[in-house]
Amino acid sequence: MAAKKHGDLLKEVMAEFNEAADLLKLDANLRERLSHPRRILIVSCPINMDDGTVRTFEGYRVQYNITRGPAKGGIRFHPEVDLNETIALAALMTWKCAVVNIPYGGAKGGVRVDPTTMSMKEIEHLTRRYTWEISPMIGPEKDIPAPDMNTNERHMAWIMDTFSIIKGYSVAGVVTGKPISIGGSAGRREATGRGVVYNIIEAANELDIDLTKKTAAVQGFGNVGSVAARLLAQTGCKIVAVSDVKGGIYSSKGLDIHDVLDYTAKNTYLEGYKNADVISNDDLLTCDCDILIPAALGGQITKDNAPNIKASMIVEGANGPTTSEADGILNNKGVFIIPDILANAGGVVVSYFEWVQDLQAFFWHEKEINDKLRSIISNAYKSVRSMAKDKKVSNRMAALMLGIGRVAECARIRGLRP
Ligand code: NAD
């Protein structure tokens, strides 16, 4: 999704939907059906705070579409969460699951809260109460949440536990991104970064690029960015720059990623790392490199910095890192963009594997998971590229057309009752 300043996201998502629908010559009735979220639940979560007061937080769960299977999408705890943003993100999840052709619809949930101001106990209370409130809507056969901004394995364990208490038995398949000890999947933690790198390998094969002769810069050194940097370095590609919220580091000779990972394991941030030069996040985006991987926040590549970007390939690990204006500038410059709904889909693919394993109560080895992920990403990449060449559109529009086209075809063939 090329987007997005907060507040405009839904407008942007619908504008892109309409552009893709025009190019697909989508039947007007199908367009009408796919323009609306299927179900929305708004909840109030009153929480006993540590100081004895009660505060009430507003939360949402949106199932945008369930035509291809149960709804799937993360739960975000953030002060800027609102209903429109949640609808937009649920729509994007719908197209993303369809691009990688896994049998899910799309959903998103969130609570408008700043968790950084709360204790773990308060956050646990909030997670459990929110789960309780949305429990009529979720379940392994209905809607399967996962981590998103400011939620992680810890929250997923609380959700699984709360939902299981309501049911009276353990329901592992109600969420993904859980700890392995309660039904999580091997390889889930690395899956998004791994999917980013599988996409780059596909592009290198298609475009005849020798990765051992290329350099890359990665913005964001969290889950997605650090795994992408580590695995990309394994291909022989030189990682020249990485950054986090406090700034970045750069070395034209290439960073020793394992040394950097050891450093952040001890010091949390890259700040103070000695074996490289210090650069800002802005400098990282425009530094001398062949491949740029934004893997931090949305809206980082803008009309102001896009003209100065030197990378010839951008692989969107983050959701919506490129504004629409920047997207136009980069397309005119001929930059090869692997859009977020393809580039970062590895996470939801391995979430799907986690859910399948939970339903079967039979768990796979990591190699099997990575091989299956590779095959799904490879097929999705090839389908997007073939759509892009066929219809003479950008990779981003091709991915949207592929995803929206698949959802529309399911809706058409299932028909409309009554
Ligand atoms: P994370 O919290 O693990 O890491 C985020 C990283 O970005 C951290 O290193 C943080 O310091 C850095 N960062 C924060 N603000 C920044 C700023 N202003 N400038 C530069 N760096 C900044 O998060 P994550 O799970 O790695 O997710 C990163 C992005 O990938 C998000 O956009 C997320 O929506 C997207 N994504 C994640 C997954 C997943 O499975 N984790 C799946 C799909 C998409």
Side-chain angles (χ1 to χ4, degrees):
M1 159 78 221
K4 62 187 67 166
K5 281 291 164 216
H6 183 72
D8 296 340
L9 185 60
L10 185 56
K11 262 192 226 149
E12 294 261 2
V13 167
M14 292 322 296
E16 284 190 343
F17 166 78
N18 281 316
E19 194 182 335
D22 286 345
L23 287 161
L24 285 165
K25 300 188 176 33
L26 201 65
D27 170 81
N29 293 329
L30 281 172
R31 181 194 292 242
E32 165 66 13
R33 285 175 66 186
L34 299 186
S35 303
H36 299 276
R38 173 74 181 255
R39 292 186 187 120
I40 294 175
L41 184 62
I42 303 177
V43 297
S44 293
C45 303
I47 304 301
N48 277 313
M49 305 300 282
D50 293 345
D51 64 5
T53 59
V54 172
R55 282 183 63 195
T56 300
F57 299 94
E58 187 159 289
Y60 313 94
R61 185 73 186 167
V62 175
Q63 295 174 353
Y64 192 84
N65 190 282
I66 51 171
T67 306
R68 288 171 45 88
K72 184 89 189 85
I75 288 173
R76 174 175 289 203
F77 285 179
H78 196 275
E80 288 179 5
V81 163
D82 66 21
L83 183 57
N84 277 351
E85 181 196 62
T86 312
I87 295 171
L89 293 169
L92 288 177
M93 278 306 296
T94 308
W95 318 143
K96 186 187 292 188
C97 290
V99 167
V100 285
N101 212 2
I102 55 177
Y104 281 143
K108 204 75 179 187
V111 178
R112 195 185 311 154
V113 59
D114 181 0
T116 61
T117 62
M118 294 166 74
S119 69
M120 274 312 259
K121 197 171 136 203
E122 291 166 340
I123 293 172
E124 177 177 353
H125 286 169
L126 177 61
T127 309
R128 288 184 180 278
R129 182 61 189 240
Y130 171 73
T131 306
W132 185 278
E133 295 296 338
I134 66 165
S135 63
M137 201 158 164
I138 61 173
E141 63 297 320
K142 292 199 274 190
D143 180 355
I144 307 117
D148 194 71
M149 234 181 249
N150 293 323
T151 59
N152 57 34
E153 288 188 358
R154 181 64 274 184
H155 304 75
M156 298 307 111
W158 289 326
I159 295 174
M160 181 270 192
D161 184 65
T162 307
F163 190 81
S164 298
I165 291 168
I166 295 169
K167 291 287 173 191
Y169 52 88
S170 291
V171 189
V174 65
V175 278
T176 59
K178 298 180 293 295
I180 288 193
S181 58
I182 56 166
S185 177
R188 173 61 186 89
R189 199 174 291 157
E190 297 80 19
T192 307
R194 191 177 289 281
V196 166
V197 175
Y198 286 165
N199 268 291
I200 295 172
I201 293 171
E202 288 297 326
N205 289 341
E206 182 199 348
L207 307 172
D208 208 14
I209 293 169
D210 179 356
L211 287 174
T212 64
K213 299 204 170 80
K214 297 295 171 191
T215 58
V218 183
Q219 187 198 42
F221 205 62
N223 176 292
V224 179
S226 69
V227 173
R230 178 169 60 82
L231 298 180
L232 189 56
Q234 279 175 14
T235 68
C237 179
K238 205 194 284 178
I239 312 297
V240 289
V242 297
S243 69
D244 62 26
V245 64
K246 295 193 173 188
I249 54 174
Y250 175 85
S251 165
S252 60
K253 287 184 286 181
L255 298 163
D256 176 345
I257 284 298
H258 288 282
D259 192 47
V260 178
L261 284 166
D262 285 346
Y263 183 84
T264 51
K266 288 187 201 111
N267 301 285
T268 310
Y269 297 106
L270 295 160
E271 197 176 39
Y273 182 75
K274 291 276 180 285
N275 304 324
D277 300 330
V278 172
I279 55 166
S280 69
N281 262 300
D282 283 347
D283 292 343
L284 179 135
L285 294 173
T286 55
C287 78
D288 227 331
C289 68
D290 302 303
I291 302 169
L292 176 63
I293 305 177
L297 305 173
Q300 295 296 296
I301 302 177
T302 64
K303 66 176 177 11
D304 300 324
N305 56 25
N308 303 321
I309 285 182
K310 297 187 189 70
S312 52
M313 184 187 297
I314 296 179
V315 189
E316 296 181 337
N319 283 316
T322 311
T323 67
S324 316
E325 290 151 317
D327 197 46
I329 295 169
L330 295 168
N331 281 326
N332 288 338
K333 279 173 61 166
V335 177
F336 188 88
I337 300 175
I338 305 184
D340 49 7
I341 60 170
L342 172 62
N344 70 32
V348 75
V349 170
V350 178
S351 272
Y352 161 58
F353 296 160
E354 179 176 334
W355 175 74
V356 170
Q357 292 170 84
D358 289 337
L359 294 183
Q360 297 179 339
F362 181 70
F363 291 86
W364 313 340
H365 291 295
E366 185 165 353
K367 180 174 183 322
E368 191 177 351
I369 285 158
N370 293 343
D371 289 348
K372 286 185 159 81
L373 172 63
R374 176 84 194 252
S375 145
I376 287 185
I377 295 290
S378 174
N379 286 336
Y381 177 90
K382 287 179 180 133
S383 304
V384 168
R385 287 293 296 145
S386 123
M387 176 75 86
K389 287 181 207 160
D390 232 38
K391 304 286 179 194
K392 300 191 174 36
V393 294
S394 68
N395 290 339
R396 189 183 308 285
M397 191 42 64
L400 284 166
M401 288 170 72
L402 183 68
I404 292 166
R406 282 180 174 157
V407 179
E409 172 56 12
C410 275
R412 186 192 66 75
I413 208 144
R414 284 182 57 166
L416 182 60
R417 183 177 181 275

